[in-house]
Structure formats: C-alpha cells, structure tokens
Amino acid sequence: MRDLLIDVEPLRTSRDFRAIFIARVVSLFGLGMATVALASQVYELTGATFHVAVSTMIMSITVLLGSLWGGWMADRTDRRRLIVCARGAAALAFAGLAVNAFLPEQSLWAIYLCVAWDGLATGVSVTALMAVAPTLVRSDQLPAAGALISLTGEIGSIAAPLLGGVLLALGGPGPVFAFTAFTTGVTTLLISRIRPLPPVKHADDEKGAEDSGSPLVALKYALRNRVVGGLLVLGGVTALFNLPVVLFPELVDTRFGGGEVMLGLLYTAPAVGAVLVSATSGWLTRTARPGRMLLTAAFTGGLATVGFGLSGHVAVAVAMLAIAGAAGTVYEILEYALVQHSTPDRLRGRLVSVITAQGTTGDVVGDAEVALLARWFSPAAAAVLNGAVCAVAAVAVAVAVPGLRRATLPGKDGTPPATGGLVPSDGARAAAG
C-alpha cells in the first residue's frame, strides 16, 4: 500500500519545493473560484455568451504571449524574482476586478483589461515555475514532483469552482475576486521566501554561450533531441485532437437525453480518473520504462475517447471519460519528468514556454477542429475520429522515435536502473527509471 500511494518525498526533502507546492494549492483554489465569478459577471453584464467567449479568448492569447516572454526571461534572470513579480502583478489584476465588481456601474472594458493583465502575469509565472522544478528536487524525484503538481491541479479543478459558486451566490463576484487577490498575495509571499534561483550554468552548456535567447534555439534543440522531439510531436497531436469536452452539451442533449446533472457528470468524470491516478501514483514514479509507459498512456487515452464516442449509455460514457482522464494524467506526469530531465537548464525556460504555447494553441484550435467535425459528421463521430488520431499518433511516434520508447530516468544514485517492472522499494522509494 505504501508503494501504491503517491510519493510525497519531494515535500519532505525540499523546503523550497514544499513552499512552491503550498503556494500552488492556495493559488489554484483562488483562481478556480475566480473563473466561475468572471464568467457569471460577464454574462450578467452583457446577457451574451459571446462576451464570455471573448474574455476566455483574451486570457488564452495573453497567457500564450506571457509564457513566451516568461520562458525567455527565465533563462536570463533570477527565476524567483521573476515569479514573485508576476504573481504580484496578478494580485493587482484581481484587486482591479474586485474594485470594478463593487462599483455601482461595472465596466466590461475594465474586466477585459484586468483579464489581459492577469493572463500575461500567469503565462510568465507558470513558465518560470516549471523551469525551476528540477533545481528544487533530485532528478529521481521528478516523476513524484509531477504527480504532486498534477494532484493539486485536479483537486482544485473539482473543488474550487464549487466553492466559487457558493461564495458567488452569497456575495456576488466582488468578494470572490477579493479572495483571489488575497490568495495570490499569499502565493507571492510564500515564493519570496525561497532561495534565489538564477539559471544554472554547467560546463557542458558552454556551447550555448552564443545563444541569443530566442525561443527558436530551444525549439531547434527539442527537434534534435530524441526524447524531447518525440514528446513535442506527440504533444502537438494530443493537444489538437484532445478529449472533445466542447461536445459534451450536444451529446447530452442528442444522445443521452439528460440535463444539467448528467452534463456535470460528464465534466467531472475525467477529473475523477485523473485524481485517482495522481493519488495512487507511487508505482508510476518507479516505473522502469517511463517512455514506453507514456506512449501506452497516449494510446489508451485515444482508445478511451473512441469508446466515449461509440458509447450509447451514459454509464459507459462516464467510464470511458474516467479512463481518458487517468491516461492523460499518466502522460502528463511522465512528460513533465522526461522533459525536465532531458533539457539543459540554459534552455529550460524557453522550452517550457514552447510546450505551454503548444498546449494553449492546441486547446483553442482543437475546439474549433472538433466542432467542425461535429457539423460535417456528428458529435459522436467527431469524438471517434479525435481518439483514433491520438491512438495512431502514439503508435507512429513509438515506431519512428525509438529513443522516446526506450527513455529512462535516473535512480537515486544518478544512474538508470536495470530493466524490469518496478524498482524495489528498499532503497529506491523515489527512483524513477
């Protein structure tokens, strides 16, 4: 049982990782609550879903821009100072939203401005946070650190919107934004207490001395690296042809004959599967072949999406979504560990920004892609096609990029473990190879 449960060793052994973990938990709850309040406020002001979509689009675009700039800065300056400044800027954005919400005449343009400001700050801080993780924990602890980060995200996505809805009903959007500004301030204070985190220079990185700082340098490195390049290709496909959440309302209406409760069940199912995997990820952090496991997870997620599209009963659909959510979390944990381990520190900020930009763009374009497929064929057929593309892509990358298939991670002694199923728990509780 001890080997099955999530590995919390990074929290025990790294004071700085513990501080960032707590800051992330606090921040996620505030952000999740603010998301609900923002959508409700914009809709109440305008009476149009279009404006809600505009606010989401503004956030996506500015997060993309912020992540690209943040990746460049994370490779050139102290990352702690960069994160602190970015989270402080985000706190000001939420304070602005709170002030606007308490005014007798609320301004839609003020909301858009604050959303854009917060998106830029969030893009910077998220990218810098991802870049510092390998400097806070041992390389063998990267899968465990990824599992802990994933677990907080999934729990936050389930609990925070519910709490936000309750507070919104009690006091309106103003108190929700004020609470989010407070939690963001707490996050800023926690991160300011960790040690300075300048980019680490290694002897074998001298060849990057002429590096101009362009994100293209990191992209070129990724395409040359057998592990990171394969992950970048597969990640692009899975981001574009991801689980078609945008189809849930139409499928509930046309196939399952349900209402709001059934729709909520579909939205919750992937998160439930993800939480179950994160909470029992002890075995995952000790797998001997993380590359092979990642490809298997991508293939399984694609098949689960196909099963969701073919399902005619809501119980089967929920089960398929839970499997897809679980497979997606396995993929994310191992992708996090492999990318962080395979990327030199001098490029890590920019490479993380490229991956973040890929995911953000893929989500936006992917929603349009699956919506078009649903119009040309049907919502169910669109889900089947998306899942099939992901499954085929996993097989194709496994064949074409054997370096990713054979990828390993170091054990506690810094060397890859011998082949096998699981690393023995005695003396290797956090090993991942």
Side-chain angles (χ1 to χ4, degrees), residues 223-269:
L223 294 178
R224 290 195 306 265
N225 184 278
R226 59 180 185 173
V227 174
V228 181
L231 288 172
L232 204 62
V233 172
L234 184 56
V237 175
T238 55
L240 185 59
F241 297 93
N242 206 345
L243 190 65
V245 177
V246 71
L247 299 179
F248 286 0
E250 187 173 357
L251 284 171
V252 167
D253 181 48
T254 60
R255 170 166 285 202
F256 300 123
E260 290 80 2
V261 174
M262 188 174 293
L263 180 61
L265 190 61
L266 293 187
Y267 275 108
T268 303

Side-chain angles (χ1 to χ4, degrees), residues 363-427:
D363 288 343
V364 174
V365 178
D367 284 348
E369 168 267 324
V370 78
L372 285 175
L373 286 179
R375 290 190 63 182
W376 292 338
F377 302 102
S378 70
V384 170
L385 289 172
N386 264 29
V389 169
C390 288
V392 170
V395 174
V397 171
V399 173
V401 190
L404 176 58
R405 188 175 69 246
R406 300 167 186 159
T408 60
L409 290 166
K412 281 192 173 181
D413 59 357
T415 60
T419 57
L422 296 176
V423 177
S425 60
D426 294 337

Side-chain angles (χ1 to χ4, degrees), residues 296-315:
T296 302
F299 180 74
T300 303
L303 290 186
T305 303
V306 171
F308 167 71
L310 295 175
S311 59
H313 193 278
V314 68

